[in-house]
Amino acid sequence: MQKRVLITGAAGFLGSHLSERFIKEGYHVIGMDNLITGSLSNIEHLFKLENFEYYHHDITKFVHVPGELDYILHFASPASPIDYLNLPIQTLKVGAMGTHNLLGLARVKKARILVASTSEVYGDPLVHPQTEDYWGNVNPIGPRGVYDEAKRYQEAITMAYHNVHQVETRIVRIFNTYGPRMRTNDGRVLPAFMSQAIRGEDLTLFGDGSQTRSFCYVDDLVEGIYRLLLSDYHLPVNIGNPDEITIKQFAEEIQALVNPDIKIAFKPLPKDDPKRRRPNTDRAKSILDWSAKVDRKEGLERTYKYFKTVVK
Ligand code: UDP
């Protein structure tokens, strides 16, 4: 029997790549989105396929899917700092009520559910690199609180459904990820720098650029999620590329790749911007035999190819 998987946030950056991957693996994919940050252009090439169907739906309302479901991948949420700053209530609702609805659906369908959590559960971390057993340093009432706390609640209710109702649950903590189909204006650092460089504008570097991130190419992330879903491990697993760089270095790499003539313009650092971030991926290695394979040079070239086609 062909396996059926529901993917929420299917029209988003990660949801669209996951939809493609599961179709390629022979699954029937039911994509769901309300398009507040996603875009049909990310999945329109899938509509002609027999193994893909799409529901326009807001998952904070009761979710109904006809027929059987084997798996649910919950990837619906605004996910860039600008998006969740503009959509704070929707962000809280999708992480809380949306997750609750999907756990209920998983329970009645006897489906396994994987929820997309985030390195933001670690906040501005005091432990470096971040291991899964670190509890985090989050400001609940700061600008990132709406996302961080929604995702922390999401993990809590997911564990509760696992413990109380024996739902098969998986939790992935996703670190900074990049690749084709990121929204050019989502405010995140890669779309911002790529778009600016292509247009010949200054790169807007926030703060002095000494804050660090560790960027994972989307194909690596998708592979990690695929393995985690099929594993029998229910505790959170970090998926990310531990190759850590400063944002200033990142700006210089994009400058060198796209347009060496552009300049860097220093802008104020946003409130509560984490100073350092790097995943400890030992757990992913030992449980999933997974590690990131695509280095930044290769990943940035592939991403640049995409951005050239969409930046106006
Ligand atoms: N950043 C920047 N210029 C931009 C956008 C972001 O210097 O135009 C910085 C931001 O302050 C942060 C890092 O790049 O330190 C990553 O930001 P992003 O919004 O991509 O995600 P975050 O990892 O902070 O959630």
Side-chain angles (χ1 to χ4, degrees), residues 39 41-42 179-185 191 194-195 198-199 303-312:
S39 167
S41 62
N42 288 334
R181 303 204 195 112
M182 291 185 97
R183 213 172 72 233
T184 56
N185 65 348
M194 279 270 174
S195 308
I198 291 169
R199 295 192 190 110
T303 308
Y304 177 37
K305 265 198 198 125
Y306 168 80
F307 272 78
K308 271 198 280 199
T309 67
V310 289
V311 172
K312 303 273 173 301

Side-chain angles (χ1 to χ4, degrees), residues 79-82 84 118-120 144 147-148 175-177 182 186-193 196 203-207 209-215 247-248 250-251 265 267-270 272-275 277:
S80 84
I82 291 218
Y84 50 75
T118 165
S119 55
E120 284 286 325
R144 289 173 181 254
Y147 184 63
D148 300 8
F175 283 67
N176 293 69
T177 301
M182 291 185 97
D186 83 356
R188 279 188 277 203
V189 67
L190 180 134
F193 286 174
Q196 290 157 354
L203 302 187
T204 53
L205 182 64
F206 298 167
S210 64
Q211 70 273 31
T212 70
R213 295 293 185 272
S214 309
F215 294 94
I247 298 300
K248 181 146 189 290
F250 194 53
K267 304 277 176 192
L269 190 67
D272 295 347
D273 198 285
K275 283 178 274 309
R277 189 184 283 155

